[in-house]
Amino acid sequence: MSILKVAKLGHPVLREMAKPVVVDQILSSNIQRLIQDLVDTMREYGGVGLAAPQVHESLQIFTVEALGSSRADKAPETPLLVLINPVLTSVSDKVVEDWEGCLSIPDLRGLVPRHQDISVQAYDPRGKIVNLTASGFLARVIQHEHDHLIGKVFLDRMRTFESLAFLNEFNRYWQGNEE
Ligand code: NI
């Protein structure tokens, strides 16, 4: 296993369109190692999601997980999910705002509107097609990570920067204010 370096905002890789993984390469040692390194790196830095472009690999893969001590900000328990070449569809018109942060944009939080309910078709790490639906927190994280595959970050999705806050100030002035 390896803990990989995380690209920070300003690195061009975060603004590229990530390439689809060739499906019959999913089981290759290179892709399997990248998936494991993504998982290890996400856990090391306490993220609830990590996309391959964030570790300088411009490929359509991301991981999501929120368990135990990594569950900051009241995140519900979310078992490990690895999605490859994901295609997202919103399945309701409902859009909700909640707080997001990003390992590539350290120490900032902001309110971001996202679709409440989505469906996803993707490949799993064994190369099988998976279909899933997600709501709320999980739908939010999946949309955030998917954005990394199309060169977007959460700042691009904010309606206004008035809620943009450093983590220290977020904890002091904003946490809980949305309720
Ligand atoms: Ni991010």
Side-chain angles (χ1 to χ4, degrees):
M1 64 171 260
S2 305
I3 308 299
L4 303 178
K5 189 175 177 202
V6 176
K8 299 298 191 322
L9 187 66
H11 195 298
V13 72
L14 294 175
R15 294 310 196 170
E16 289 171 14
M17 294 291 291
K19 287 187 290 294
V21 178
V22 176
V23 171
D24 63 12
Q25 294 293 305
I26 291 174
L27 293 175
S28 71
S29 55
N30 281 353
I31 295 297
Q32 293 292 311
R33 188 181 311 114
L34 174 59
I35 290 169
Q36 191 55 54
D37 290 349
L38 271 172
V39 172
D40 294 335
T41 303
M42 172 179 69
R43 289 174 176 164
E44 173 72 14
Y45 295 112
V48 295
L50 190 64
Q54 293 183 273
V55 295
H56 310 85
E57 291 285 352
S58 194
L59 287 169
Q60 293 181 17
I61 307 173
F62 63 74
T63 60
V64 171
E65 183 183 62
L67 292 173
S69 59
S70 74
R71 288 165 59 226
D73 306 339
K74 306 163 292 179
E77 289 269 345
T78 306
L80 179 64
L81 192 59
V82 178
L83 297 179
I84 300 162
N85 301 351
V87 177
L88 274 55
T89 311
S90 61
V91 294
S92 80
D93 290 337
K94 193 164 181 212
V95 171
V96 286
E97 280 204 324
D98 209 341
W99 294 96
E100 294 188 17
C102 182
L103 292 176
S104 294
I105 311 171
D107 292 331
L108 280 174
R109 296 288 181 275
L111 280 173
V112 183
R114 298 286 186 188
H115 295 290
Q116 165 77 25
D117 304 290
I118 60 169
S119 67
V120 185
Q121 183 170 85
Y123 289 90
D124 73 8
R126 299 177 150 197
K128 299 271 172 12
I129 290 179
V130 290
N131 288 283
L132 61 97
T133 58
S135 296
F137 173 78
L138 179 58
R140 173 171 299 280
V141 179
I142 289 172
Q143 287 168 86
H144 176 117
E145 299 310 325
H146 181 263
D147 268 354
H148 282 301
L149 307 184
I150 58 170
K152 297 284 187 192
V153 298
F154 80 87
L155 300 173
D156 303 325
R157 303 300 192 189
M158 292 177 71
R159 291 190 172 117
T160 161
F161 291 135
E162 287 177 26
S163 65
L164 195 62
F166 287 106
L167 188 53
N168 196 39
E169 282 67 23
F170 168 77
N171 288 329
R172 192 166 167 190
Y173 297 110
W174 288 88
Q175 205 162 29
N177 279 8
E178 73 273 23
E179 289 166 337

